[in-house]
Amino acid sequence: MNHVARLVREHFAGSAEVLKIGDLPVTAIASRYGTPSFVYDRGIMTKRVSQLRAVLRDEIAIYYSAKANPHRSVVAHFVRLGCGVEIASKGEYLRALEARCDPRKIVFAGPGKSEAEIELVLAKGIGELHIESLTELDRISRISRRLGLRASVAVRINPTAEAQGGAMRMGGKPSQFGVDEEGAEAVVARVLECGDVDFTGIHLFTGTQILDPAILLTQYRKAVGIARGLAAHFRRPMKTIDFGGGLGVPYFPHEQELDVAALSKGLDELVREVRADPWLSGARLIVEPGRFLVGEAGIYVMAVSDIKISRGKKFVIVDGGMHHHLAASGNLGQTIKRNYPVALLNRLTEPPCEKVDVVGPLCTPLDTLARDIDLPEARIGDLVGIFQSGAYGLTASPTQFLSHPPPNEIVVEQGRIIDDPALPVGG
Ligand SMILES: Cc1ncc(COP(=O)(O)O)c(C=O)c1O
């Protein structure tokens, strides 16, 4: 079974010739809202949260990483499901508040936090700030003093050994993220000395798109080891161990779904160790995934606007492009350009009969959304969909490039449109 067929079977029940997203025919969504559009199904997000909760049980809290998809109805959904929110900017903080997240369930990571951002989150309330440098500690400590409060601060650590195997590794090498493990003791000492903030613990996040549970467990184990070492050294119990995000979803045919059962087994053991360690037993454990929770829930839906043949090669030209979905064009940090799962959404059951490139309307060859893919013979007006587009899609794209209008974003759930762009704020 090919990748699209597997995804349709798993997430888009009731689809036949026409794809149904959240039980709504995509043709109906497209004729009401037009194309190009991102359509997000909250039912799939709910499924992913339940699946992850079954693995983490009550031992490890889930904080949704808002950078993956900051759409207001998406963030609100995760908050309603009981997740905290991991933010990396003032904009994401305000989005989390708008989603009615309890400020105590927000953590703020990311390099270069500005005075204004720190002041805003401290004045309005926040669970923790995860510092990435001593400059940030100084800023937070000064602002805390001025506001007459004590900020809770964890230290983000750039570990010595990287978690091999994910895309975009962020550990084990020089990095703008976190403080080097080699210097972590000195940084924690400064946090403890500064007198204006409360030290809560550590945060480790080394890579994204990790599909091998063994690599995730290695990263988590590393975090526990560092936490244990620091706690014993300073003779202070840890209050927080944040394991980061990084859980992947399969984009390409050679990739397998993350084996959550294997992750669960390893985690049970790790959690038992943590709870048996007097320095760590009371620690709040956190994961902060983005991609895993929302990646599979989104489809980028476009219409075919032209079809051409150039020197024997067929190009299917669609009304969306890399300005909305940079990742699918292979230009968001990928070293090898591979095709996301793509299909004609109104002709799902037709067998493929030709190889084509699917390209957008921008005046650059970079605007190629799929190369040499097998499709049924496309016609103008057909709907082309890129699956696995819920995370790092629109939010990670150069929307101003070539001044095309932005796409619609439509959120659906169990046969309903949740956030109708034509109406005031919905669910
Ligand atoms: C600090 C931090 N936490 C969480 C995430 C979410 O990662 P993912 O979507 O791979 O789970 C990121 C992504 O870059 C991040 O930088």
Side-chain angles (χ1 to χ4, degrees), residues 7 11-12 19 21 37-42 44-45 69 74 251 291 293-301 325 340-341 385-391 410:
L7 291 169
H11 295 306
F12 304 97
L19 185 79
I21 313 177
S37 291
F38 280 89
V39 184
Y40 308 123
D41 178 7
R42 296 208 309 201
I44 299 173
M45 302 173 209
N69 186 331
V74 170
Y251 290 97
R291 193 188 304 274
L293 297 180
V294 77
E296 309 212 281
I299 298 189
Y300 183 42
V301 180
H325 201 337
Y340 272 46
I386 304 181
F387 289 76
Q388 309 293 69
S389 297
I410 296 137

PDB file of all heavy atoms in Angstrom, residues 7 11-12 19 21 37-42 44-45 69 74 251 291 293-301 325 340-341 385-391 410:
ATOM      1  N   LEU A   7      -2.202   6.683   4.772  1.00  0.00           N
ATOM      2  CA  LEU A   7      -2.681   7.838   5.541  1.00  0.00           C
ATOM      3  C   LEU A   7      -4.195   7.957   5.466  1.00  0.00           C
ATOM      4  O   LEU A   7      -4.864   8.238   6.471  1.00  0.00           O
ATOM      5  CB  LEU A   7      -2.026   9.131   5.018  1.00  0.00           C
ATOM      6  CG  LEU A   7      -0.532   9.253   5.292  1.00  0.00           C
ATOM      7  CD1 LEU A   7       0.079  10.408   4.519  1.00  0.00           C
ATOM      8  CD2 LEU A   7      -0.286   9.450   6.793  1.00  0.00           C
ATOM      9  N   HIS A  11      -6.377   7.992   8.812  1.00  0.00           N
ATOM     10  CA  HIS A  11      -6.891   9.266   9.336  1.00  0.00           C
ATOM     11  C   HIS A  11      -8.125   9.819   8.629  1.00  0.00           C
ATOM     12  O   HIS A  11      -8.726  10.768   9.126  1.00  0.00           O
ATOM     13  CB  HIS A  11      -5.807  10.335   9.229  1.00  0.00           C
ATOM     14  CG  HIS A  11      -4.602  10.071  10.074  1.00  0.00           C
ATOM     15  ND1 HIS A  11      -4.691   9.831  11.428  1.00  0.00           N
ATOM     16  CD2 HIS A  11      -3.294  10.019   9.764  1.00  0.00           C
ATOM     17  CE1 HIS A  11      -3.466   9.648  11.918  1.00  0.00           C
ATOM     18  NE2 HIS A  11      -2.604   9.744  10.925  1.00  0.00           N
ATOM     19  N   PHE A  12      -8.452   9.308   7.457  1.00  0.00           N
ATOM     20  CA  PHE A  12      -9.501   9.972   6.678  1.00  0.00           C
ATOM     21  C   PHE A  12     -10.596   8.973   6.309  1.00  0.00           C
ATOM     22  O   PHE A  12     -10.898   8.733   5.149  1.00  0.00           O
ATOM     23  CB  PHE A  12      -8.878  10.661   5.443  1.00  0.00           C
ATOM     24  CG  PHE A  12      -7.780  11.629   5.825  1.00  0.00           C
ATOM     25  CD1 PHE A  12      -6.437  11.238   5.788  1.00  0.00           C
ATOM     26  CD2 PHE A  12      -8.080  12.904   6.281  1.00  0.00           C
ATOM     27  CE1 PHE A  12      -5.417  12.103   6.180  1.00  0.00           C
ATOM     28  CE2 PHE A  12      -7.070  13.780   6.674  1.00  0.00           C
ATOM     29  CZ  PHE A  12      -5.736  13.383   6.627  1.00  0.00           C
ATOM     30  N   LEU A  19     -11.600  12.640  -1.109  1.00  0.00           N
ATOM     31  CA  LEU A  19     -11.083  12.597   0.267  1.00  0.00           C
ATOM     32  C   LEU A  19     -12.050  13.290   1.220  1.00  0.00           C
ATOM     33  O   LEU A  19     -12.574  14.371   0.917  1.00  0.00           O
ATOM     34  CB  LEU A  19      -9.726  13.311   0.339  1.00  0.00           C
ATOM     35  CG  LEU A  19      -9.068  13.210   1.722  1.00  0.00           C
ATOM     36  CD1 LEU A  19      -8.400  11.864   1.917  1.00  0.00           C
ATOM     37  CD2 LEU A  19      -8.050  14.331   1.924  1.00  0.00           C
ATOM     38  N   ILE A  21     -12.110  14.997   4.938  1.00  0.00           N
ATOM     39  CA  ILE A  21     -11.274  15.455   6.052  1.00  0.00           C
ATOM     40  C   ILE A  21     -12.225  15.789   7.200  1.00  0.00           C
ATOM     41  O   ILE A  21     -13.127  16.622   7.023  1.00  0.00           O
ATOM     42  CB  ILE A  21     -10.440  16.703   5.669  1.00  0.00           C
ATOM     43  CG1 ILE A  21      -9.748  16.518   4.309  1.00  0.00           C
ATOM     44  CG2 ILE A  21      -9.418  17.023   6.768  1.00  0.00           C
ATOM     45  CD1 ILE A  21      -8.957  17.722   3.826  1.00  0.00           C
ATOM     46  N   SER A  37      -5.816  26.235   0.268  1.00  0.00           N
ATOM     47  CA  SER A  37      -6.219  26.258   1.680  1.00  0.00           C
ATOM     48  C   SER A  37      -5.466  25.183   2.451  1.00  0.00           C
ATOM     49  O   SER A  37      -5.231  24.089   1.923  1.00  0.00           O
ATOM     50  CB  SER A  37      -7.711  25.918   1.822  1.00  0.00           C
ATOM     51  OG  SER A  37      -8.518  26.935   1.306  1.00  0.00           O
ATOM     52  N   PHE A  38      -5.137  25.492   3.686  1.00  0.00           N
ATOM     53  CA  PHE A  38      -4.717  24.446   4.617  1.00  0.00           C
ATOM     54  C   PHE A  38      -5.973  24.003   5.363  1.00  0.00           C
ATOM     55  O   PHE A  38      -6.714  24.841   5.877  1.00  0.00           O
ATOM     56  CB  PHE A  38      -3.703  24.974   5.638  1.00  0.00           C
ATOM     57  CG  PHE A  38      -2.304  25.072   5.105  1.00  0.00           C
ATOM     58  CD1 PHE A  38      -1.868  26.236   4.471  1.00  0.00           C
ATOM     59  CD2 PHE A  38      -1.409  24.019   5.231  1.00  0.00           C
ATOM     60  CE1 PHE A  38      -0.579  26.331   3.983  1.00  0.00           C
ATOM     61  CE2 PHE A  38      -0.114  24.106   4.749  1.00  0.00           C
ATOM     62  CZ  PHE A  38       0.318  25.274   4.120  1.00  0.00           C
ATOM     63  N   VAL A  39      -6.202  22.704   5.397  1.00  0.00           N
ATOM     64  CA  VAL A  39      -7.338  22.180   6.169  1.00  0.00           C
ATOM     65  C   VAL A  39      -6.766  21.328   7.298  1.00  0.00           C
ATOM     66  O   VAL A  39      -5.947  20.424   7.057  1.00  0.00           O
ATOM     67  CB  VAL A  39      -8.275  21.329   5.276  1.00  0.00           C
ATOM     68  CG1 VAL A  39      -9.496  20.894   6.079  1.00  0.00           C
ATOM     69  CG2 VAL A  39      -8.697  22.112   4.035  1.00  0.00           C
ATOM     70  N   TYR A  40      -7.160  21.645   8.529  1.00  0.00           N
ATOM     71  CA  TYR A  40      -6.648  20.927   9.704  1.00  0.00           C
ATOM     72  C   TYR A  40      -7.799  20.180  10.370  1.00  0.00           C
ATOM     73  O   TYR A  40      -8.849  20.770  10.639  1.00  0.00           O
ATOM     74  CB  TYR A  40      -6.065  21.914  10.734  1.00  0.00           C
ATOM     75  CG  TYR A  40      -5.060  22.895  10.183  1.00  0.00           C
ATOM     76  CD1 TYR A  40      -5.277  24.277  10.315  1.00  0.00           C
ATOM     77  CD2 TYR A  40      -3.897  22.463   9.551  1.00  0.00           C
ATOM     78  CE1 TYR A  40      -4.349  25.196   9.832  1.00  0.00           C
ATOM     79  CE2 TYR A  40      -2.973  23.368   9.063  1.00  0.00           C
ATOM     80  CZ  TYR A  40      -3.209  24.734   9.202  1.00  0.00           C
ATOM     81  OH  TYR A  40      -2.305  25.641   8.711  1.00  0.00           O
ATOM     82  N   ASP A  41      -7.581  18.916  10.666  1.00  0.00           N
ATOM     83  CA  ASP A  41      -8.612  18.120  11.336  1.00  0.00           C
ATOM     84  C   ASP A  41      -8.256  17.933  12.814  1.00  0.00           C
ATOM     85  O   ASP A  41      -7.285  17.240  13.142  1.00  0.00           O
ATOM     86  CB  ASP A  41      -8.734  16.761  10.638  1.00  0.00           C
ATOM     87  CG  ASP A  41      -9.753  15.856  11.324  1.00  0.00           C
ATOM     88  OD1 ASP A  41     -10.453  16.327  12.251  1.00  0.00           O
ATOM     89  OD2 ASP A  41      -9.841  14.671  10.949  1.00  0.00           O
ATOM     90  N   ARG A  42      -9.076  18.533  13.668  1.00  0.00           N
ATOM     91  CA  ARG A  42      -8.778  18.431  15.108  1.00  0.00           C
ATOM     92  C   ARG A  42      -8.981  17.014  15.644  1.00  0.00           C
ATOM     93  O   ARG A  42      -8.422  16.661  16.682  1.00  0.00           O
ATOM     94  CB  ARG A  42      -9.637  19.431  15.897  1.00  0.00           C
ATOM     95  CG  ARG A  42      -9.311  20.858  15.526  1.00  0.00           C
ATOM     96  CD  ARG A  42      -9.573  21.853  16.623  1.00  0.00           C
ATOM     97  NE  ARG A  42     -10.875  21.774  17.214  1.00  0.00           N
ATOM     98  CZ  ARG A  42     -11.445  22.769  17.877  1.00  0.00           C
ATOM     99  NH1 ARG A  42     -10.801  23.927  18.009  1.00  0.00           N
ATOM    100  NH2 ARG A  42     -12.621  22.642  18.416  1.00  0.00           N
ATOM    101  N   ILE A  44      -7.767  14.377  14.405  1.00  0.00           N
ATOM    102  CA  ILE A  44      -6.466  13.693  14.333  1.00  0.00           C
ATOM    103  C   ILE A  44      -5.567  14.185  15.472  1.00  0.00           C
ATOM    104  O   ILE A  44      -4.831  13.416  16.085  1.00  0.00           O
ATOM    105  CB  ILE A  44      -5.816  13.937  12.942  1.00  0.00           C
ATOM    106  CG1 ILE A  44      -6.705  13.364  11.847  1.00  0.00           C
ATOM    107  CG2 ILE A  44      -4.410  13.338  12.889  1.00  0.00           C
ATOM    108  CD1 ILE A  44      -6.251  13.681  10.424  1.00  0.00           C
ATOM    109  N   MET A  45      -5.665  15.476  15.793  1.00  0.00           N
ATOM    110  CA  MET A  45      -4.871  16.008  16.916  1.00  0.00           C
ATOM    111  C   MET A  45      -5.298  15.320  18.228  1.00  0.00           C
ATOM    112  O   MET A  45      -4.455  14.937  19.043  1.00  0.00           O
ATOM    113  CB  MET A  45      -5.068  17.521  17.049  1.00  0.00           C
ATOM    114  CG  MET A  45      -4.691  18.288  15.786  1.00  0.00           C
ATOM    115  SD  MET A  45      -5.126  20.042  15.922  1.00  0.00           S
ATOM    116  CE  MET A  45      -5.413  20.445  14.197  1.00  0.00           C
ATOM    117  N   ASN A  69       2.431  24.902  14.774  1.00  0.00           N
ATOM    118  CA  ASN A  69       1.233  25.438  14.115  1.00  0.00           C
ATOM    119  C   ASN A  69       0.514  26.345  15.104  1.00  0.00           C
ATOM    120  O   ASN A  69      -0.175  25.876  16.000  1.00  0.00           O
ATOM    121  CB  ASN A  69       0.302  24.305  13.669  1.00  0.00           C
ATOM    122  CG  ASN A  69      -0.868  24.835  12.849  1.00  0.00           C
ATOM    123  OD1 ASN A  69      -1.312  25.975  13.035  1.00  0.00           O
ATOM    124  ND2 ASN A  69      -1.375  24.025  11.946  1.00  0.00           N
ATOM    125  N   VAL A  74      -6.119  25.711  16.727  1.00  0.00           N
ATOM    126  CA  VAL A  74      -5.260  24.548  16.990  1.00  0.00           C
ATOM    127  C   VAL A  74      -4.704  24.647  18.411  1.00  0.00           C
ATOM    128  O   VAL A  74      -4.797  23.710  19.210  1.00  0.00           O
ATOM    129  CB  VAL A  74      -4.125  24.482  15.936  1.00  0.00           C
ATOM    130  CG1 VAL A  74      -3.081  23.447  16.332  1.00  0.00           C
ATOM    131  CG2 VAL A  74      -4.702  24.181  14.559  1.00  0.00           C
ATOM    132  N   TYR A 251       7.194  11.268   6.515  1.00  0.00           N
ATOM    133  CA  TYR A 251       6.875  12.079   5.337  1.00  0.00           C
ATOM    134  C   TYR A 251       7.130  11.313   4.041  1.00  0.00           C
ATOM    135  O   TYR A 251       6.504  11.576   3.038  1.00  0.00           O
ATOM    136  CB  TYR A 251       7.744  13.348   5.311  1.00  0.00           C
ATOM    137  CG  TYR A 251       7.399  14.344   6.384  1.00  0.00           C
ATOM    138  CD1 TYR A 251       8.112  14.390   7.570  1.00  0.00           C
ATOM    139  CD2 TYR A 251       6.348  15.239   6.213  1.00  0.00           C
ATOM    140  CE1 TYR A 251       7.793  15.294   8.564  1.00  0.00           C
ATOM    141  CE2 TYR A 251       6.017  16.148   7.199  1.00  0.00           C
ATOM    142  CZ  TYR A 251       6.749  16.173   8.380  1.00  0.00           C
ATOM    143  OH  TYR A 251       6.414  17.068   9.354  1.00  0.00           O
ATOM    144  N   ARG A 291       5.396  18.691  16.026  1.00  0.00           N
ATOM    145  CA  ARG A 291       5.146  17.933  14.789  1.00  0.00           C
ATOM    146  C   ARG A 291       4.280  16.689  15.011  1.00  0.00           C
ATOM    147  O   ARG A 291       3.335  16.438  14.274  1.00  0.00           O
ATOM    148  CB  ARG A 291       6.501  17.514  14.228  1.00  0.00           C
ATOM    149  CG  ARG A 291       6.460  16.996  12.823  1.00  0.00           C
ATOM    150  CD  ARG A 291       7.816  16.438  12.428  1.00  0.00           C
ATOM    151  NE  ARG A 291       8.914  17.367  12.571  1.00  0.00           N
ATOM    152  CZ  ARG A 291       9.287  18.248  11.651  1.00  0.00           C
ATOM    153  NH1 ARG A 291       8.621  18.341  10.528  1.00  0.00           N
ATOM    154  NH2 ARG A 291      10.319  19.048  11.869  1.00  0.00           N
ATOM    155  N   LEU A 293       2.084  15.996  17.205  1.00  0.00           N
ATOM    156  CA  LEU A 293       0.692  16.237  17.586  1.00  0.00           C
ATOM    157  C   LEU A 293      -0.141  16.801  16.440  1.00  0.00           C
ATOM    158  O   LEU A 293      -1.343  16.594  16.379  1.00  0.00           O
ATOM    159  CB  LEU A 293       0.628  17.199  18.778  1.00  0.00           C
ATOM    160  CG  LEU A 293       1.274  16.699  20.073  1.00  0.00           C
ATOM    161  CD1 LEU A 293       1.133  17.751  21.175  1.00  0.00           C
ATOM    162  CD2 LEU A 293       0.644  15.384  20.532  1.00  0.00           C
ATOM    163  N   VAL A 294       0.512  17.547  15.539  1.00  0.00           N
ATOM    164  CA  VAL A 294      -0.287  18.292  14.557  1.00  0.00           C
ATOM    165  C   VAL A 294       0.106  18.007  13.101  1.00  0.00           C
ATOM    166  O   VAL A 294      -0.651  18.332  12.183  1.00  0.00           O
ATOM    167  CB  VAL A 294      -0.212  19.803  14.902  1.00  0.00           C
ATOM    168  CG1 VAL A 294       1.106  20.429  14.481  1.00  0.00           C
ATOM    169  CG2 VAL A 294      -1.368  20.589  14.334  1.00  0.00           C
ATOM    170  N   GLY A 295       1.269  17.371  12.904  1.00  0.00           N
ATOM    171  CA  GLY A 295       1.784  17.210  11.536  1.00  0.00           C
ATOM    172  C   GLY A 295       0.832  16.466  10.611  1.00  0.00           C
ATOM    173  O   GLY A 295       0.627  16.848   9.457  1.00  0.00           O
ATOM    174  N   GLU A 296       0.246  15.383  11.121  1.00  0.00           N
ATOM    175  CA  GLU A 296      -0.589  14.551  10.252  1.00  0.00           C
ATOM    176  C   GLU A 296      -1.984  15.127  10.090  1.00  0.00           C
ATOM    177  O   GLU A 296      -2.759  14.653   9.255  1.00  0.00           O
ATOM    178  CB  GLU A 296      -0.696  13.146  10.853  1.00  0.00           C
ATOM    179  CG  GLU A 296       0.653  12.584  11.196  1.00  0.00           C
ATOM    180  CD  GLU A 296       0.736  11.085  11.044  1.00  0.00           C
ATOM    181  OE1 GLU A 296       0.255  10.401  11.952  1.00  0.00           O
ATOM    182  OE2 GLU A 296       1.268  10.623  10.037  1.00  0.00           O
ATOM    183  N   ALA A 297      -2.298  16.147  10.880  1.00  0.00           N
ATOM    184  CA  ALA A 297      -3.664  16.667  10.907  1.00  0.00           C
ATOM    185  C   ALA A 297      -3.942  17.684   9.805  1.00  0.00           C
ATOM    186  O   ALA A 297      -5.075  18.140   9.666  1.00  0.00           O
ATOM    187  CB  ALA A 297      -3.946  17.298  12.276  1.00  0.00           C
ATOM    188  N   GLY A 298      -2.923  18.056   9.032  1.00  0.00           N
ATOM    189  CA  GLY A 298      -3.132  19.122   8.047  1.00  0.00           C
ATOM    190  C   GLY A 298      -2.881  18.665   6.620  1.00  0.00           C
ATOM    191  O   GLY A 298      -1.969  17.877   6.349  1.00  0.00           O
ATOM    192  N   ILE A 299      -3.733  19.149   5.708  1.00  0.00           N
ATOM    193  CA  ILE A 299      -3.517  18.904   4.268  1.00  0.00           C
ATOM    194  C   ILE A 299      -3.544  20.259   3.565  1.00  0.00           C
ATOM    195  O   ILE A 299      -4.399  21.111   3.861  1.00  0.00           O
ATOM    196  CB  ILE A 299      -4.627  17.997   3.692  1.00  0.00           C
ATOM    197  CG1 ILE A 299      -4.602  16.641   4.394  1.00  0.00           C
ATOM    198  CG2 ILE A 299      -4.433  17.814   2.186  1.00  0.00           C
ATOM    199  CD1 ILE A 299      -5.502  15.613   3.766  1.00  0.00           C
ATOM    200  N   TYR A 300      -2.585  20.461   2.699  1.00  0.00           N
ATOM    201  CA  TYR A 300      -2.570  21.689   1.885  1.00  0.00           C
ATOM    202  C   TYR A 300      -3.304  21.361   0.590  1.00  0.00           C
ATOM    203  O   TYR A 300      -2.896  20.468  -0.157  1.00  0.00           O
ATOM    204  CB  TYR A 300      -1.117  22.087   1.628  1.00  0.00           C
ATOM    205  CG  TYR A 300      -0.911  23.375   0.859  1.00  0.00           C
ATOM    206  CD1 TYR A 300      -1.678  24.511   1.120  1.00  0.00           C
ATOM    207  CD2 TYR A 300       0.083  23.466  -0.117  1.00  0.00           C
ATOM    208  CE1 TYR A 300      -1.464  25.696   0.433  1.00  0.00           C
ATOM    209  CE2 TYR A 300       0.310  24.652  -0.811  1.00  0.00           C
ATOM    210  CZ  TYR A 300      -0.473  25.755  -0.531  1.00  0.00           C
ATOM    211  OH  TYR A 300      -0.253  26.927  -1.218  1.00  0.00           O
ATOM    212  N   VAL A 301      -4.408  22.060   0.350  1.00  0.00           N
ATOM    213  CA  VAL A 301      -5.297  21.745  -0.771  1.00  0.00           C
ATOM    214  C   VAL A 301      -5.182  22.834  -1.836  1.00  0.00           C
ATOM    215  O   VAL A 301      -5.396  24.020  -1.551  1.00  0.00           O
ATOM    216  CB  VAL A 301      -6.762  21.647  -0.288  1.00  0.00           C
ATOM    217  CG1 VAL A 301      -7.688  21.314  -1.454  1.00  0.00           C
ATOM    218  CG2 VAL A 301      -6.899  20.615   0.829  1.00  0.00           C
ATOM    219  N   HIS A 325       4.073  26.779   1.586  1.00  0.00           N
ATOM    220  CA  HIS A 325       4.500  25.465   2.091  1.00  0.00           C
ATOM    221  C   HIS A 325       5.949  25.204   1.672  1.00  0.00           C
ATOM    222  O   HIS A 325       6.221  24.370   0.801  1.00  0.00           O
ATOM    223  CB  HIS A 325       3.569  24.388   1.549  1.00  0.00           C
ATOM    224  CG  HIS A 325       3.560  23.113   2.351  1.00  0.00           C
ATOM    225  ND1 HIS A 325       4.621  22.742   3.172  1.00  0.00           N
ATOM    226  CD2 HIS A 325       2.628  22.136   2.470  1.00  0.00           C
ATOM    227  CE1 HIS A 325       4.323  21.586   3.738  1.00  0.00           C
ATOM    228  NE2 HIS A 325       3.129  21.206   3.344  1.00  0.00           N
ATOM    229  N   TYR A 340       6.762  14.963  -0.507  1.00  0.00           N
ATOM    230  CA  TYR A 340       5.738  14.684   0.492  1.00  0.00           C
ATOM    231  C   TYR A 340       4.682  13.788  -0.174  1.00  0.00           C
ATOM    232  O   TYR A 340       4.596  13.738  -1.400  1.00  0.00           O
ATOM    233  CB  TYR A 340       5.071  15.994   0.926  1.00  0.00           C
ATOM    234  CG  TYR A 340       5.739  16.729   2.058  1.00  0.00           C
ATOM    235  CD1 TYR A 340       7.114  16.932   2.094  1.00  0.00           C
ATOM    236  CD2 TYR A 340       4.981  17.257   3.102  1.00  0.00           C
ATOM    237  CE1 TYR A 340       7.707  17.613   3.132  1.00  0.00           C
ATOM    238  CE2 TYR A 340       5.572  17.948   4.153  1.00  0.00           C
ATOM    239  CZ  TYR A 340       6.927  18.123   4.168  1.00  0.00           C
ATOM    240  OH  TYR A 340       7.505  18.792   5.201  1.00  0.00           O
ATOM    241  N   PRO A 341       3.812  13.139   0.630  1.00  0.00           N
ATOM    242  CA  PRO A 341       2.720  12.386   0.000  1.00  0.00           C
ATOM    243  C   PRO A 341       1.739  13.351  -0.686  1.00  0.00           C
ATOM    244  O   PRO A 341       1.221  14.273  -0.043  1.00  0.00           O
ATOM    245  CB  PRO A 341       2.055  11.665   1.174  1.00  0.00           C
ATOM    246  CG  PRO A 341       2.848  11.989   2.397  1.00  0.00           C
ATOM    247  CD  PRO A 341       3.881  12.993   2.081  1.00  0.00           C
ATOM    248  N   GLY A 385      -3.612  17.601  -3.254  1.00  0.00           N
ATOM    249  CA  GLY A 385      -3.395  17.748  -1.809  1.00  0.00           C
ATOM    250  C   GLY A 385      -2.012  17.287  -1.405  1.00  0.00           C
ATOM    251  O   GLY A 385      -1.518  16.278  -1.928  1.00  0.00           O
ATOM    252  N   ILE A 386      -1.404  18.034  -0.509  1.00  0.00           N
ATOM    253  CA  ILE A 386      -0.149  17.583   0.104  1.00  0.00           C
ATOM    254  C   ILE A 386      -0.486  17.181   1.535  1.00  0.00           C
ATOM    255  O   ILE A 386      -0.923  18.010   2.348  1.00  0.00           O
ATOM    256  CB  ILE A 386       0.917  18.697   0.105  1.00  0.00           C
ATOM    257  CG1 ILE A 386       1.159  19.203  -1.320  1.00  0.00           C
ATOM    258  CG2 ILE A 386       2.219  18.187   0.736  1.00  0.00           C
ATOM    259  CD1 ILE A 386       2.218  20.286  -1.423  1.00  0.00           C
ATOM    260  N   PHE A 387      -0.303  15.900   1.811  1.00  0.00           N
ATOM    261  CA  PHE A 387      -0.576  15.370   3.154  1.00  0.00           C
ATOM    262  C   PHE A 387       0.580  15.745   4.095  1.00  0.00           C
ATOM    263  O   PHE A 387       1.602  16.255   3.667  1.00  0.00           O
ATOM    264  CB  PHE A 387      -0.720  13.851   3.092  1.00  0.00           C
ATOM    265  CG  PHE A 387      -1.990  13.396   2.404  1.00  0.00           C
ATOM    266  CD1 PHE A 387      -2.101  13.451   1.021  1.00  0.00           C
ATOM    267  CD2 PHE A 387      -3.065  12.936   3.135  1.00  0.00           C
ATOM    268  CE1 PHE A 387      -3.266  13.035   0.388  1.00  0.00           C
ATOM    269  CE2 PHE A 387      -4.224  12.515   2.516  1.00  0.00           C
ATOM    270  CZ  PHE A 387      -4.327  12.568   1.130  1.00  0.00           C
ATOM    271  N   GLN A 388       0.420  15.441   5.371  1.00  0.00           N
ATOM    272  CA  GLN A 388       1.456  15.655   6.403  1.00  0.00           C
ATOM    273  C   GLN A 388       1.854  17.137   6.462  1.00  0.00           C
ATOM    274  O   GLN A 388       3.038  17.457   6.609  1.00  0.00           O
ATOM    275  CB  GLN A 388       2.695  14.778   6.152  1.00  0.00           C
ATOM    276  CG  GLN A 388       2.431  13.283   5.935  1.00  0.00           C
ATOM    277  CD  GLN A 388       1.902  12.571   7.145  1.00  0.00           C
ATOM    278  OE1 GLN A 388       0.761  12.824   7.546  1.00  0.00           O
ATOM    279  NE2 GLN A 388       2.645  11.683   7.756  1.00  0.00           N
ATOM    280  N   SER A 389       0.875  18.034   6.355  1.00  0.00           N
ATOM    281  CA  SER A 389       1.180  19.459   6.235  1.00  0.00           C
ATOM    282  C   SER A 389       0.704  20.283   7.424  1.00  0.00           C
ATOM    283  O   SER A 389       0.622  21.515   7.344  1.00  0.00           O
ATOM    284  CB  SER A 389       0.547  20.005   4.944  1.00  0.00           C
ATOM    285  OG  SER A 389       1.124  19.376   3.827  1.00  0.00           O
ATOM    286  N   GLY A 390       0.405  19.622   8.540  1.00  0.00           N
ATOM    287  CA  GLY A 390      -0.126  20.365   9.691  1.00  0.00           C
ATOM    288  C   GLY A 390       0.928  21.086  10.500  1.00  0.00           C
ATOM    289  O   GLY A 390       0.633  22.033  11.227  1.00  0.00           O
ATOM    290  N   ALA A 391       2.196  20.637  10.408  1.00  0.00           N
ATOM    291  CA  ALA A 391       3.253  21.255  11.224  1.00  0.00           C
ATOM    292  C   ALA A 391       4.296  21.903  10.321  1.00  0.00           C
ATOM    293  O   ALA A 391       4.666  21.338   9.286  1.00  0.00           O
ATOM    294  CB  ALA A 391       3.933  20.180  12.080  1.00  0.00           C
ATOM    295  N   ILE A 410      -8.497  26.329   7.401  1.00  0.00           N
ATOM    296  CA  ILE A 410      -9.824  25.874   7.807  1.00  0.00           C
ATOM    297  C   ILE A 410      -9.658  24.704   8.775  1.00  0.00           C
ATOM    298  O   ILE A 410      -8.928  23.755   8.488  1.00  0.00           O
ATOM    299  CB  ILE A 410     -10.628  25.432   6.566  1.00  0.00           C
ATOM    300  CG1 ILE A 410     -10.844  26.666   5.670  1.00  0.00           C
ATOM    301  CG2 ILE A 410     -11.967  24.828   6.940  1.00  0.00           C
ATOM    302  CD1 ILE A 410     -10.634  26.414   4.241  1.00  0.00           C
TER     303      ILE A 410
END
